[in-house]
Amino acid sequence: MPSASSLVVVIGTGGTIAGVVTDTAARPGAHLGYEAGALTADALVAAVPALAALPLETHSLAQLDSSDMDHATWQALALAVTAHLARPEVAGVVVTHGTDTLEETATFLQLTVAATKPVVMTAAMRPATAPSADGPQNLLDAVRLATMPGVTGVLLAFGGSVYAGTEARKLHGYRIDAFGGGDAGPLALMQDGALRPLRAWPAPDGHAAEVLAQPLADWPVVDIVTSHAGVRGQTMLALVAAGARGIVVAGSGNGSVHRELELAAEQAQRQGVTVWRASRCVLGGVVGEVPGNAQGGGSAYALPHAGDATPAQARVRLLLSLLLQRQRQPGP
Ligand code: SIN
């Protein structure tokens, strides 16, 4: 058995980091047209010679293209991470994931896992078969980060930067440097295996851990509607009719909401649905008092906003908030 707190558990969930182009003979060096999640966590680790000497344990929890991520995988992942962190011999956990929905899973883990040891997510923009595959270096950085004393919380190690779980966001659909940390930027840099912190480290969270015990069938439906020119209020009302208990409006600019959607939101709220605003802008979130349409929209109708969270991250926060409310005030 490895010495006290030196073991890193690597949990694979799929993604491009585990992606394979199957017709490389016809398309040598291809970056696209690969099968995401084809490789197991074992295979990812075996492809990085520098990991051979380190005490690692690997588990393949899923082999998904993360655009197909679901609540069942989130629940199983958060429970698995929590169980591994509780083992005294474990220094930290690494989660390999697709880039597409990583910011959602990272937010979910940050809010549901009391990560007093590091939980480091990592990913790649190029499949494992590409000559320029970025997965091996990202995985090596993630494992090294997961063994560093004093590092806590849910993090993303990607492209030589370290992001806080709730701040990481995908900014580009193709480039290797696809992630950013929003206005806050990265927490730290990984430079030749060493951590270079850039600002104060956020405290671990995990305040919503109790929701993991709730059966999936009881998890409320929470959807996202984008505010755009010509949007129809019926779109939101159709979601309410289909069972949504929470809706995030991806508002324009500083979270402004088209008047048609505002009217629909008012009606949805009268039916007991919680409606939040976020911003569809790539950066910046919503600035201003909560609740309120602080800038630009000129709207009298106020909906709470989700601050810096992207619409997808806001959806995770609203889902957990509704689950916590239900748990703390069980209904009839
Ligand atoms: C995915 O998110 O699973 C595919 C895209 C990626 O990992 O870059």
Side-chain angles (χ1 to χ4, degrees):
M1 180 184 280
S3 60
S5 295
S6 63
L7 180 69
V8 174
V9 177
V10 179
I11 302 179
T13 69
T16 298
I17 191 168
V20 167
V21 174
T22 49
D23 56 344
T24 42
R27 298 188 300 124
H31 292 163
L32 299 174
Y34 53 87
E35 185 193 337
L39 300 175
T40 62
D42 253 346
L44 298 188
V45 167
V48 186
L51 292 177
L54 299 180
L56 297 179
E57 186 180 295
T58 53
H59 301 270
S60 284
L61 184 117
Q63 287 181 256
L64 286 172
D65 184 317
S66 83
S67 53
D68 293 329
M69 189 48 67
D70 53 53
H71 293 172
T73 305
W74 278 356
Q75 187 187 41
L77 179 61
L79 289 170
V81 170
T82 303
H84 288 302
L85 291 183
R87 297 166 56 195
E89 71 275 24
V90 169
V93 173
V94 167
V95 177
T96 60
H97 198 284
T99 59
D100 281 0
T101 57
L102 193 147
E103 70 197 51
E104 298 170 56
T105 303
T107 300
F108 184 83
L109 290 179
Q110 173 80 3
L111 302 182
T112 57
V113 175
T116 51
K117 296 175 185 175
V119 176
V120 187
M121 300 189 70
T122 196
M125 288 300 287
R126 302 285 179 261
T129 46
S132 55
D134 49 331
Q137 182 64 53
N138 287 345
L139 180 58
L140 180 59
D141 281 348
V143 170
R144 285 176 168 158
L145 186 58
T147 61
M148 288 182 184
V151 172
T152 58
V154 176
L155 306 163
L156 167 64
F158 193 93
S161 293
V162 178
Y163 302 100
T166 50
E167 292 169 355
R169 57 184 64 197
K170 189 169 179 181
L171 300 177
H172 202 283
Y174 181 74
R175 270 178 16 195
I176 285 276
D177 58 338
F179 278 85
D183 284 341
L187 268 184
L189 302 176
M190 286 294 288
Q191 295 179 325
D192 201 21
L195 181 70
R196 182 175 150 208
L198 298 176
R199 58 190 171 92
W201 213 262
D205 194 317
H207 76 271
E210 64 197 90
V211 308
L212 296 175
Q214 291 199 37
L216 280 174
D218 293 347
W219 289 27
V221 176
V222 180
D223 290 311
I224 300 174
V225 178
T226 301
S227 185
H228 56 85
V231 69
R232 297 175 308 149
Q234 292 100 306
T235 305
M236 184 184 286
L237 297 179
L239 293 173
V240 173
R245 303 307 303 152
I247 294 178
V248 173
V249 180
S252 49
N254 191 33
S256 299
V257 179
H258 193 293
R259 61 180 179 273
E260 293 294 323
L261 275 190
E262 279 187 347
L263 292 172
E266 249 178 304
Q267 195 170 322
Q269 287 179 312
R270 281 196 296 273
Q271 293 176 240
V273 177
T274 305
V275 185
W276 286 5
R277 290 180 298 135
S279 172
R280 68 181 209 193
C281 291
V282 176
L283 291 172
V286 182
V287 179
E289 296 301 311
V290 180
N293 228 350
Q295 173 202 309
S299 164
Y301 194 73
L303 295 169
H305 71 69
D308 281 347
T310 65
Q313 290 167 330
R315 196 197 79 84
V316 177
R317 288 182 175 277
L318 180 51
L319 169 72
L320 293 174
S321 158
L322 293 174
L323 276 165
L324 280 175
Q325 269 171 37
R326 179 184 302 179
Q327 190 141 333
R328 289 170 187 174
Q329 305 158 356

